[in-house]
Amino acid sequence: MKLRLTTLLVCLFSSELFAQPINVIEKAVIEQPSQMMNDWLTKQTDESFANWQKTYATLKTDETIAAYQKRLRDKFVESIGGFPERTPLNAVVTGTIQREGYRVEKVLFESQPKHYVTGICFVPESDKFKGPYPGILVVCGHSDTGKGLEVYQAGAALAALNGMVAFLVDPVCQGERYEHVHDDGNIYVKSTTDGHTLLGSGAILLGQNTARNEIWDGMRAIDYLQQRPDVDGSKIGVMGNSGGGTQTSYIMALDDRVGAGAPSCYITSFERLLAERGPQDAEQNIFGQLAWGMDHVDYALMRAPVPVLFCTATHDAFPIDGSWTTYRAAKRLYTRQGYSERVDLVEADANHGWSPFLRQGSVQWMSRWLAGRDVPVREPKIKALSPKEYLVTEQGQVVLIPGAKSAFDLNKEEFERLAPARKALWSEPKQAIAKVREIAGIQPLASLPKPEAKKLGESKDGDITIERWVLTPEDGIVLPGLLYRPAKVSKGPLLYCHPEGKQASFKTEQGEHSALEYAKQGHLVFAVDLRGTGETFPEKAVWYNKRFGPDGKHLAVAYLLGKNYIGTWAEDVLKSARWLLENESLPLDQHKLTIVTGGRIGAAGLHAAAVESQLIDKITLIQSLGAMELIVSSPLSDDQFVNCIHGALRAYDLPDLARYLGNRIQVIEPTDSLNQPIKTANVR
């Protein structure tokens, strides 16, 4: 039978119409969907800044200041996972280079057993100064050559020329301490930022942070300085630029041996940093620090009135107005303590970097407070060491030393150490699920507010009616959705969540999975965009590369606030599932609701199904991360920051949740840390 022309046109029109995206959100609902997540997070960070100001205003007495310092330091150490035990340094000098007025010793030591740190120690050789000398830890910013960068050598040499021993060390993922090194010595991840954050992804899952590695290496470097007979161990300073400014800030805040600090081109305020540049790489984001009230100024306040010099640059990427705000807050508190002269600021009319002005200011500060010589410091022409001269190891990379342990190896050891505790916890499944809920930050269903719901219209695709809905689970957040209503509903209700949006489909070897296909099978399907996906994807949030995901900036801000997207998305899933049942007048205790989800939001659906089994009957998980362990065990990952829940692997992994669900879960084509298929059909 031939189709009439009008019927054919209707079919063609219908096909073209539904091949196009159906946008639910209207301007009346939300003005700029792509800014929704930024606005939501900014509201929370603004609240944290206001709370910090209120707390700061209470710091009036020695008692309140001391209590504040202890609280922050305790939280700081807890949030980075504590510190390892002190073990023998086994320090050796592998060579010495002579320079006029000082010598340079090449030093190799173990901050943890078989975990090597390389450094070059600049020692005064002048009749002008008598030992033992003050000791200064000099920590490097982000540079491929680490300690080899000429400006870092210049700062250390300047300290030696002014009568102080300066120990310049390579941070992890820099210089001779790259983590991603082939056996032939070729480095396959050369970006320091990438290296730090790849390391940080696994560390986060263990309840740690890349900052822990850097701080501990720095503390052990101070141990080395104190062991030297030519160093006065009671006079220790720390200084460094950029990422070295970060390390300086942390170490002076947490190590009581530090008698003076000079962080350069780092200190600003989180308010200005997040507004102008955004969060930085892994070690510069401490879990929950905005929530419990630790801003940049607190790195000084935690040790007040220890002398601190803020070294800044007018044209720095770290906003100078934030630096001055921070300095003024520090100055007021030091003044309250009666030590106004112990905090100061030097500003160079320069770009980001350890310029001569900032090097001179740092060394003069150390000379004043450690050596007792308050004299002007001017930097002469300094001949930097060549690569051949500053290399400490024969191999050129510490990970090539026989038996050496990388930072990734240490993460894997920690994962294995935690295995008995995880196993013991899951012997009591109810307690384990309660712990999952606590760590992921998922509220009980009964505590979750019911979203406002508004129907915005409907259309037809054959015998399926497609209703446009928008849910508002909280102020400023909307979840656009499409309700696919077959003419004849023959199967149970289904919630469909795809990371690319409600109309996107999963293509697998078994076939295509989409909301429309499930509706054609007879399911009543609600396809919903979780916050920050689909229509509310943050288009302009990208500054991280593919390693950290398209919304890496927002993930990092959430981490600073003590949140994770898995827990937040899981709550969106639960609210949407409950709304679907209630909207259709289906009793919550009699339904057979199924979730279909996967990709980078799959773990959120898995968490939701595990913690609220009375609401969700079954889950199909498609092309989703098979186990968080895979992030720890591999030195490479792509877009896995989204799957990093702080401390999750202390209690559970994704296969634990899958085992708990038993035959209620179907896993299709699970993926590894690079989003590649895992050969096993089901990860359990």
Side-chain angles (χ1 to χ4, degrees), residues 166-195:
F167 192 25
L168 174 61
V169 297
D170 281 328
V172 66
C173 300
Q174 294 173 239
E176 293 179 73
R177 300 190 63 211
Y178 275 95
E179 291 281 310
H180 301 84
V181 183
H182 290 302
D183 291 341
D184 62 3
N186 286 324
I187 300 167
Y188 59 95
V189 175
K190 292 188 176 181
S191 165
T192 295
T193 297
D194 282 14

Side-chain angles (χ1 to χ4, degrees), residues 211-222:
R212 178 182 188 263
N213 300 78
E214 294 185 341
I215 295 167
W216 187 244
D217 289 345
M219 287 180 168
R220 298 314 312 276
I222 291 175

Side-chain angles (χ1 to χ4, degrees), residues 278-325:
Q280 304 301 290
D281 55 325
E283 75 274 13
Q284 295 172 323
N285 305 318
I286 305 302
F287 179 62
Q289 69 180 105
L290 296 185
W292 44 264
M294 186 174 77
D295 210 323
H296 276 209
V297 67
D298 290 306
Y299 305 134
L301 301 192
M302 274 186 267
R303 292 291 314 290
V306 168
V308 174
L309 176 70
F310 298 131
C311 300
T312 67
T314 302
H315 309 293
D316 199 351
F318 291 88
I320 187 66
D321 54 342
S323 304
W324 276 99
T325 298

Side-chain angles (χ1 to χ4, degrees), residues 491-541:
K491 296 185 177 180
L494 186 146
L495 184 72
Y496 182 85
C497 304
H498 193 287
E500 295 178 13
K502 51 200 168 296
Q503 286 180 274
S505 61
F506 296 101
K507 294 177 175 61
T508 72
E509 292 182 0
Q510 299 179 14
E512 188 168 331
H513 301 257
S514 69
L516 183 58
E517 288 301 314
Y518 281 109
K520 288 178 179 178
Q521 295 171 19
H523 290 279
L524 175 71
V525 180
F526 184 48
V528 63
D529 290 345
L530 306 183
R531 69 186 70 197
T533 71
E535 291 185 57
T536 61
F537 177 76
E539 295 174 4
K540 296 183 179 179

